Amino acid sequence: MSDFLITNALILPMTEARQSFSGYVRVDNGVIADIGAGAPLKTEEDDFVIDAAGCVLMPGLVNAHTHLYQVLLRAVWEDLELMPWLKRIYGCARVLRPEHFYAGSLLGCAEAIRSGVTTLCEHNFLNPSPNCAFETIRAIQDSGLRAVFARTIMDAGEIVPECTKEKPEQAFRRIEEILARHERNDQLQFMTGPNTPPINTTPGLLREIRRFADDKSIGISAHVAESKSVVESVRRQHGKNGVVEFLHEFGIPGPNSIFAHSVHVSKDEIVLLKQTGSSVSHNPVSNMMLGDGVAPVVEMLRQGVNVALGTDGAASNHSQDLFDTIKAASLLQKVHHQDAGVIDPCSVLRMATAGGAKALGLESVCGTIEVGKRADLILVDLDTIHNQPMNDVFSQIVHCAKASDVRTVMINGEIVMQDRHLTGLDEKKILADAKIANRDLMKRVNALSF
Ligand SMILES: [Zn+2]
């Protein structure tokens, strides 16, 4: 007997380019136990069968970079470029409370699951109190999502409020406390990192961070070269040509490092990313919203850099919908290069699945449909007006499908959404609590001067 037998699905395993076939997947003890074309040879009477006729069965999506609580700040500061926008985001640390982090993060998780996300990387950077991190982790755990919690550090910067600036030793102690309080396993992993070097981190912190990460066997997450202004800062303050080049001096790039954005990186820095085995989280919707520029994704892929996709926080994306981001990632490269064939839908879907899993050190756990991997699976209903008729399933998942087509979501062999219903979460309560948290937060934010 298996936990689940999913039959009649159009399966996209995402292991090889353009592979798709009609078949079944058997899930046993949370693990993918069998995959086959056609109908299964044998069905036990007590198998729990999910008939996936009309649906694509694919790996759960990986959102490689977000700030969940920011759903409370959707559409608050829309017309600002990165630096003045960041000043306001950081300024919120003066009024953000742990309860805002819990309510916002849980709403963000619910939205993520409803868009087919099964794994996300929460890049945490505002910690006026240690409970802000604890409450974010609690929300993620309550949601059932697989996650990497990246507890990053800021120790400098004019626009960073004192309440969230930390000396490296103090931050490391707090991260040690997070590690001590939580079991590290496939479901929950941890990272650290400089938040946005060099604008809010000193060379002293950067020197210490690689040592600390290696000592604790955790990865590194950082915002890298998001806008031209960050690159100008690294030139002015440190005489370096780019942020990646600067970080290389401190050993920050590496196989367990994920660099969000990487919009303004040179050809030499792309080579450096490849040589060091670093991954990039491409966040096209956020980059477009803030007017940052276009990341050289095609060049990075050509050089063999592992690229993942991220929504970024809802304060610069408005949503946690990874399907939006998938479509934007495809279209943005086409218009940027003025070449409709510059990127193919398979490469984009790979970034949202296997690329994301690799970036988060979870390539042996999830990101593809393979025997032995954890059962992080989604069923996307393509038998709908905007998805039919079907000519090219890869292109249509990227360019036609919407988050609302995700019917069922399984994480670790547990169904967390069935026929659009979140099985383990009270959606009405999550929404009501988030509205209360939003009203309270905005009252406090509106009393601030930036
Ligand atoms: Zn970010």
Side-chain angles (χ1 to χ4, degrees):
M1 180 201 165
S2 62
D3 301 341
F4 294 101
L5 178 61
I6 305 167
T7 59
N8 297 318
L10 179 57
I11 301 173
L12 309 188
M14 299 311 299
T15 47
E16 292 169 42
R18 290 214 156 263
Q19 190 193 12
S20 69
F21 58 92
S22 295
Y24 65 92
V25 166
R26 206 183 283 276
V27 175
D28 213 353
N29 279 324
V31 173
I32 297 167
D34 189 17
I35 307 163
L41 282 179
K42 190 163 154 276
T43 308
E44 302 284 345
E45 264 180 30
D46 42 5
D47 275 344
F48 187 91
V49 179
I50 298 172
D51 184 352
C55 290
V56 156
L57 175 63
M58 58 182 287
L61 305 179
V62 179
N63 184 353
H65 181 81
T66 188
H67 317 286
L68 288 164
Y69 77 94
Q70 283 186 5
V71 293
L72 300 182
L73 296 168
R74 294 185 211 267
V76 174
W77 297 295
E78 296 199 309
D79 305 322
L80 299 170
E81 59 184 46
L82 183 69
M83 287 303 175
W85 178 83
L86 268 185
K87 190 175 181 188
R88 283 154 182 83
I89 293 292
Y90 293 167
C92 287
R94 291 185 273 159
V95 294
L96 271 164
R97 299 285 176 268
E99 54 269 29
H100 300 137
F101 280 91
Y102 183 81
S105 297
L106 199 54
L107 184 73
C109 288
E111 189 185 357
I113 293 169
R114 291 181 73 79
S115 88
V117 169
T118 53
T119 298
L120 56 79
C121 177
E122 168 67 11
H123 179 107
N124 161 276
F125 62 93
L126 292 182
N127 281 289
S129 109
N131 285 336
C132 297
F134 289 131
E135 286 299 275
T136 305
I137 296 169
R138 187 165 72 89
I140 292 168
Q141 289 186 309
D142 286 352
S143 77
L145 278 163
R146 191 184 301 288
V148 173
F149 184 80
R151 204 305 198 166
T152 67
I153 307 167
M154 298 192 278
D155 71 335
E158 271 171 40
I159 61 173
V160 182
E162 288 304 320
C163 65
T164 199
K165 242 182 232 174
E166 299 168 300
K167 290 199 162 34
E169 319 78 69
Q170 179 193 10
F172 293 151
R173 266 200 312 277
R174 285 177 165 184
I175 297 169
E176 281 170 348
E177 199 184 335
I178 293 172
L179 296 175
R181 280 210 207 178
H182 299 90
E183 190 188 336
R184 288 158 69 179
N185 50 36
D186 288 348
Q187 190 77 10
L188 181 64
Q189 281 292 340
F190 294 90
M191 287 188 178
T192 184
N195 182 33
T196 312
I199 63 166
N200 49 44
T201 53
T202 62
L205 172 65
L206 295 173
R207 247 187 296 277
E208 288 295 306
I209 245 170
R210 171 50 75 191
R211 182 195 57 75
F212 180 77
D214 289 348
D215 187 42
K216 301 295 171 194
S217 302
I218 56 178
I220 287 176
S221 173
H223 291 113
V224 170
E226 181 172 355
S227 71
K228 276 192 181 144
S229 52
V230 182
V231 179
E232 279 159 15
S233 290
V234 89
R235 285 194 184 131
R236 204 175 48 243
Q237 293 172 20
H238 304 284
K240 293 285 175 188
N241 289 319
V243 180
V244 177
E245 185 190 318
F246 172 61
L247 291 177
H248 190 50
E249 199 179 306
F250 304 95
I252 301 290
N256 59 0
S257 295
I258 175 164
F259 294 162
H261 305 300
S262 304
V263 172
H264 299 281
V265 293
S266 66
K267 284 194 168 60
D268 288 347
E269 287 183 305
I270 293 173
V271 172
L272 209 48
L273 289 171
K274 168 64 182 163
Q275 282 172 348
T276 55
S278 310
S279 290
V280 165
S281 173
H282 174 45
N283 312 311
V285 176
S286 173
N287 296 156
M288 287 193 277
M289 187 56 68
L290 290 168
D292 287 330
V294 183
V297 168
V298 170
E299 292 82 346
M300 290 194 268
L301 291 174
R302 278 185 191 148
Q303 287 289 339
V305 176
N306 181 51
V307 182
L309 287 185
T311 55
D312 209 351
S316 61
N317 177 310
H318 291 57
S319 90
Q320 292 296 289
D321 178 345
L322 205 66
F323 272 86
D324 260 6
T325 291
I326 288 170
K327 185 169 182 175
S330 170
L331 299 185
L332 184 56
Q333 292 303 316
K334 289 173 191 283
V335 69
H336 178 62
H337 291 272
Q338 297 183 44
D339 176 357
V342 80
I343 193 159
D344 68 288
C346 266
S347 301
V348 178
L349 264 194
R350 213 185 134 67
M351 289 191 263
T353 53
K358 183 169 185 215
L360 301 180
L362 294 169
E363 66 266 50
S364 63
V365 176
C366 58
T368 58
I369 300 182
E370 287 179 87
V371 170
K373 284 204 179 178
R374 308 303 302 179
D376 288 8
L377 304 167
I378 60 173
L379 286 175
V380 188
D381 186 357
L382 293 191
D383 201 15
T384 53
I385 285 175
H386 59 273
N387 286 308
Q388 289 294 330
M390 181 74 71
N391 292 305
D392 179 333
V393 65
F394 289 97
S395 176
Q396 288 178 242
I397 284 279
V398 170
H399 301 116
C400 303
K402 300 179 186 309
S404 54
D405 298 326
V406 179
R407 206 175 82 187
T408 296
V409 177
M410 184 184 284
I411 303 173
N412 232 355
E414 301 278 338
I415 292 182
V416 296
M417 183 168 83
Q418 185 162 27
D419 292 327
R420 303 290 300 155
H421 168 70
L422 297 178
T423 56
L425 296 174
D426 182 343
E427 277 185 70
K428 278 194 180 141
K429 182 167 167 30
I430 289 171
L431 204 49
D433 290 350
K435 286 178 184 173
I436 293 168
N438 167 259
R439 275 196 293 275
D440 181 61
L441 176 60
M442 289 317 297
K443 199 170 70 188
R444 293 165 189 267
V445 165
N446 289 331
L448 293 173
S449 55
F450 293 105

